[in-house]
């Protein structure tokens, strides 16, 4: 099968997310890195792209140069990944969609709900894919949980408890580190800090597994380090459209917790638990029965979990391969085989609406608010 041309904006040398995208995109032979504008420093970006194997004439100084260059080529890139600072996501994603390119955007997709709704409309009009990198939903055992809910194996879902809480920003003496500080600066991060950074992963996961959308929420935000303008800890109660109760905690000051992303789903006839630090396992307890540990790669899992699995039982598959699963479904979609489960611009705008409404709720002492974007009310 001919490999698709892939381009990347941002994710340059030393970035946190860049390596995961480069590993993920190329893991299955679907994409080749053909173009890039990898750094805000044009010379550094060009140099790094060429060291990664990009031809000199496709190692661009910035995204505008890349857009103009790729639009003029017959072998233009089939997919563009946007992995730049949050405040630039909307402008770049919009420009490439309007230019006729498929786009994978890092979260949050936009800074405002209005921008998010515009991206949804532009993607629909263009006929191009606009995906958002909620990659945790692409772990094999997360897909197994989703299939178990879909097929009624835990009954009607009563309660979802999700959290994404770590302690890596808990050192007040390190609060001015530029790699940390921007996340709590409204000029760079937007209206929310920790909830927009990690909490929306937890919220998306709750909706994804339950197969339902968030309707309303009540939030409590706290900035536990005084120099921070935005929250570093948040508790959010929410309700899904079908009535499921949701509880979410997200924090960056929970010292002792490492990655800290986990989700529990409680239905009428059973419960399940998954944690990102042990991603190959789901703990499943049928009502009145014993707790079972389900393992990635074992017999009897759903076809969806099997599809997302690369290596056999007892061999770990981590974060880059979850990202790779997003790229597998993107490649299929570009080739005309649209796969269920790929996070899209619709997920992106729903997350942004939840962020803005959570901020409003927190300012109103936890008042319950409608969490949906206006276009879906």
């Amino acid at each position: 099968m001919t490999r698709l041309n892939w381009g990347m904006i941002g994710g340059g040398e030393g970035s946190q997310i860049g390596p995961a995208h480069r590993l993920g995109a190329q893991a299955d032979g679907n994409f080749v890195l053909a173009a890039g504008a990898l750094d805000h420093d044009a010379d550094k970006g060009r140099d790094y792209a060429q060291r990664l194997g990009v031809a000199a004439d496709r190692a661009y100084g910035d995204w505008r140069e890349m857009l103009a260059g790729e639009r003029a080529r017959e072998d233009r890139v089939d997919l563009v990944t946007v992995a730049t600072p949050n405040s630039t996501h909307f402008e770049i994603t919009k420009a490439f969609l309007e230019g006729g390119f498929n786009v994978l955007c890092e979260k949050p997709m936009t800074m405002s709900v209005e921008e998010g709704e515009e991206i949804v409309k532009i993607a629909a009009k263009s006929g191009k894919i606009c995906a958002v990198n909620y990659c945790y939903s692409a772990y094999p055992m997360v897909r197994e949980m989703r299939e178990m809910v879909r097929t009624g194996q835990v009954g009607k879902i009563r309660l979802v408890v999700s959290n994404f809480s770590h302690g890596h920003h808990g050192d007040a003496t390190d609060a001015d580190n530029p790699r940390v500080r921007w996340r709590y600066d409204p000029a760079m991060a937007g209206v929310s800090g920790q909830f927009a950074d990690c909490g929306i992963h937890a919220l998306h996961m709750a909706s994804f597994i339950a197969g339902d959308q968030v309707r309303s929420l009540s939030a409590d935000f706290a900035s536990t380090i005084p120099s921070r303008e935005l929250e570093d800890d948040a508790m959010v109660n929410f309700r899904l459209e079908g009535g499921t109760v949701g509880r979410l905690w997200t924090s960056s000051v929970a010292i002792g917790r490492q990655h800290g992303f986990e989700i529990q789903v409680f239905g009428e006839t059973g419960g399940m638990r998954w944690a990102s630090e042990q991603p190959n396992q789901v703990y499943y307890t049928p009502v009145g029965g014993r707790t079972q540990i389900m393992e990635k790669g074992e017999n009897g899992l759903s076809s969806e979990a099997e599809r997302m699995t690369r290596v056999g039982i007892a061999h770990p598959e981590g974060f880059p391969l979850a990202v790779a699963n997003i790229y597998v479904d993107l490649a299929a979609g570009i080739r005309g085989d649209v796969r269920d489960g790929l996070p899209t611009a619709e997920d992106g705008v729903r997350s942004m609406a939840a962020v803005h409404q959570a901020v409003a709720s927190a300012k109103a002492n936890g008042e319950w608010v409608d969490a949906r974007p206006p276009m879906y009310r």
Side-chain angles (χ1 to χ4, degrees):
M1 186 178 295
T2 302
R3 290 193 292 177
L4 300 167
N5 286 329
W6 171 56
M8 189 171 192
I9 303 169
E13 192 166 21
S15 77
Q16 181 179 7
I17 196 65
H21 279 285
R22 286 186 285 276
L23 289 167
Q26 299 174 97
D28 298 279
N30 287 310
F31 293 97
V32 59
L33 181 60
L38 303 182
D39 200 294
H40 68 279
D41 183 309
D43 290 336
K44 288 183 179 178
R46 291 190 184 101
D47 175 69
Y48 189 50
Q50 290 178 70
R51 282 190 278 129
L52 291 173
V54 175
D57 65 335
R58 302 180 82 174
Y60 299 102
D62 61 48
W63 69 265
R64 291 181 177 86
E65 183 182 308
M66 178 170 160
L67 176 60
E70 291 301 308
R71 288 183 74 171
R73 300 183 67 101
E74 291 186 5
D75 61 345
R76 58 159 50 188
V77 290
D78 299 287
L79 173 70
V80 175
T81 292
V82 179
T84 54
N86 297 355
S87 59
T88 66
H89 288 179
F90 169 71
E91 182 182 19
I92 299 172
T93 298
K94 178 176 183 289
F96 276 87
L97 284 172
E98 289 178 335
F101 295 89
N102 299 295
V103 176
L104 170 62
C105 185
E106 267 299 331
K107 42 66 47 189
M109 183 177 74
T110 61
M111 299 284 275
S112 73
V113 180
E114 293 76 16
E115 290 174 347
E117 292 189 332
E118 186 173 351
I119 291 295
V120 171
K121 293 173 183 176
I122 291 170
K125 183 178 179 180
S126 71
K128 295 299 180 178
I129 296 170
C130 182
V132 183
N133 192 32
Y134 289 116
C135 55
Y136 298 101
S137 65
Y139 275 100
M141 295 309 288
V142 170
R143 293 299 177 97
E144 180 65 18
M145 292 176 75
R146 184 180 187 231
E147 289 301 306
M148 290 177 71
V149 170
R150 279 181 162 181
T151 55
Q153 294 181 57
V154 293
K156 179 178 172 56
I157 304 303
R158 293 169 172 163
L159 174 65
V160 178
V161 180
S162 186
N163 78 69
F164 197 158
S165 303
H166 64 83
H168 298 297
H169 299 165
D171 183 357
T173 65
D174 193 45
D176 286 332
N177 179 337
R179 289 185 177 273
V180 175
R181 187 180 63 237
W182 77 267
R183 299 176 186 273
Y184 308 98
D185 179 357
M188 295 289 289
V191 298
S192 169
Q194 178 63 14
F195 185 61
D197 188 21
C198 294
I200 57 173
H201 273 299
L203 195 67
H204 173 263
M205 184 78 88
S207 291
F208 183 81
I209 292 175
D212 201 0
Q213 300 294 341
V214 178
R215 180 182 180 86
S216 59
L217 60 78
S218 167
D220 177 32
F221 284 7
S223 297
T224 66
I225 293 180
S227 63
R228 292 175 176 164
E229 292 186 59
L230 300 176
E231 85 287 349
D232 52 24
D233 188 275
M235 183 69 74
V236 180
N237 292 311
F238 60 93
R239 297 291 185 274
L240 300 182
E241 295 274 11
T244 298
V245 175
R247 314 289 188 199
L248 186 156
W249 173 47
T250 186
S251 182
S252 62
V253 294
I255 295 172
R257 290 181 65 94
Q258 295 302 319
H259 192 257
F261 187 13
E262 59 189 28
I263 186 164
Q264 299 175 85
V265 178
F266 303 103
E268 292 177 336
T269 62
M272 300 180 288
R273 177 169 64 86
W274 176 87
S276 65
E277 293 176 32
Q278 296 289 335
N280 295 328
Q281 299 177 340
V282 167
Y283 284 70
Y284 164 59
T285 308
V287 64
R290 295 175 176 173
T291 297
Q292 307 167 29
I293 301 176
M294 303 168 59
E295 291 277 353
K296 175 197 67 68
E298 69 183 16
N299 293 330
L301 298 182
S302 66
S303 59
E304 184 71 357
E306 291 178 354
R307 183 175 74 82
M308 294 294 192
T309 299
R310 287 174 178 76
V311 295
I313 190 168
H315 293 86
E317 291 185 40
F319 181 76
L321 290 184
V323 176
N325 283 336
I326 295 291
Y327 280 97
V328 165
D329 283 356
L330 278 165
I334 292 168
R335 291 172 173 140
D337 178 16
V338 178
R339 302 277 178 83
D340 176 51
L342 180 66
T344 66
E346 179 178 333
D347 298 290
V349 72
R350 286 185 183 277
S351 293
M352 190 45 54
V355 166
H356 280 265
Q357 291 301 88
V359 170
S361 173
K363 289 179 178 178
N365 296 316
E367 177 181 329
W368 281 89
V369 294
D370 194 325
R372 300 169 296 177
M375 69 187 303
Y376 296 128
R377 292 183 185 177

